[in-house]
Amino acid sequence: MSAYNIVSIAGSDPSGGAGIQADLKAFSAHGTFGMTVIAALTAQSTRGVTGVHGVPVEFVVQQMDTLFDDATIHAVKVGMLATAEITEAVADAITRHELPNVVVDPVMVAKSGDRLLETSAVKALRTLLLPRADLVTPNLPEAADLLGEAEAADLATMRAQAERLLDLGPRRVLLKGGHLAGDESVDVLVSRDAEPVEFRAPRVATRNTHGTGCTLSSSIAALLPQRPDTASAVADAKAYLTEAIRRADEIDAGGGQGPVHHFHQWW
């Protein structure tokens, strides 16, 4: 058959390390055909974000309807949406077009500390988008924001927060533990129909981790149609990302937090 079509609904990162640009690289790395709906524009580099411009919601809807009325979509990655209005429109389109394998990466704050989602949009994300997700992939600060709790500081609290995130409606939650201390990076997958699964990888000593969340979520989206279950897709995506981080210092894309090496398997 032809390649799987995977669409990213997210923001643009001119530096190429995160957002739409990282998603397309990850889709390609996993042998799928990448498509995009651009929901926001950013002015950013490896040093930080200097501006965010939300695409007019009517044009986001036009992009989605035009694409989804034509192409068969096998999985969706949802990233930075910027505003409540765009978040609501994306949630509506997922339902109207019956999109499968929806992976939501609840992008709220960049690694530089710059906010990428309006505070007013968090409610729309929590109440409208998460219940439509097959998998949501927050990091610890994002989980705390969604739950209105303090950020988890240990694995036990992290597991408990992952379970509470299920109550917001997604079918599965992958809570990423990269912000915890320790020699390993531990992620926890919880779902409504299976036992919790932990994924462990050695922590890599590098400052070049720009776009890791985007890359992991888009890799999972690309792998979901190709693997027998979500846990298998997550395991393979995490292994890919770990090597991409390990090889990140080979990329010279700026003077700040650089990107991971999406094409480490080839060059």
Side-chain angles (χ1 to χ4, degrees), residues 57-239:
V57 65
E58 296 82 7
F59 193 68
V60 175
V61 172
Q62 187 175 2
Q63 289 179 75
M64 292 189 292
D65 288 348
T66 301
L67 176 60
F68 302 152
D69 285 343
D70 175 50
T72 299
I73 304 300
H74 299 97
V76 181
K77 177 265 173 77
V78 180
M80 175 191 175
L81 299 180
T83 70
E85 291 77 16
I86 294 173
T87 303
E88 292 168 8
V90 170
D92 176 66
I94 289 169
T95 298
R96 285 191 294 109
H97 293 280
E98 300 180 341
L99 299 179
N101 295 317
V102 177
V103 178
V104 174
D105 185 25
V107 178
M108 298 179 181
V109 180
K111 278 193 169 60
S112 58
D114 300 287
R115 190 157 191 95
L116 299 176
L117 182 71
E118 293 178 355
T119 303
S120 61
V122 175
K123 181 179 179 182
L125 173 65
R126 185 188 296 118
T127 61
L128 298 178
L129 191 55
L130 293 194
R132 291 167 166 81
D134 293 290
L135 176 69
V136 59
T137 63
N139 60 28
L140 297 185
E142 290 161 348
D145 205 347
L146 288 169
L147 292 169
E149 300 178 3
E151 184 177 329
D154 55 63
L155 190 54
T157 306
M158 180 178 160
R159 292 190 192 105
Q161 288 193 343
E163 295 286 354
R164 285 195 288 278
L165 285 167
L166 275 180
D167 294 335
L168 298 180
R171 293 184 61 194
R172 299 175 185 86
V173 173
L174 179 69
L175 184 51
K176 302 174 296 187
H179 287 76
L180 291 182
D183 295 333
E184 287 186 312
S185 172
V186 183
D187 302 336
V188 177
L189 176 68
V190 296
S191 65
R192 301 180 180 280
D193 52 9
E195 291 297 312
V197 181
E198 292 183 5
F199 303 88
R200 296 173 178 269
R203 194 176 297 277
V204 179
T206 179
R207 71 173 181 174
N208 296 321
T209 57
H210 180 56
T212 51
C214 300
T215 299
L216 181 64
S217 57
S218 54
S219 296
I220 295 170
L223 288 168
L224 279 174
Q226 306 183 68
R227 297 294 184 268
D229 52 51
T230 301
S232 299
V234 171
D236 288 349
K238 187 172 176 69

Side-chain angles (χ1 to χ4, degrees), residues 239-250:
Y240 161 80
L241 177 62
T242 299
E243 184 64 12
I245 296 172
R246 192 182 72 80
R247 299 275 299 276
D249 293 355
E250 298 175 19

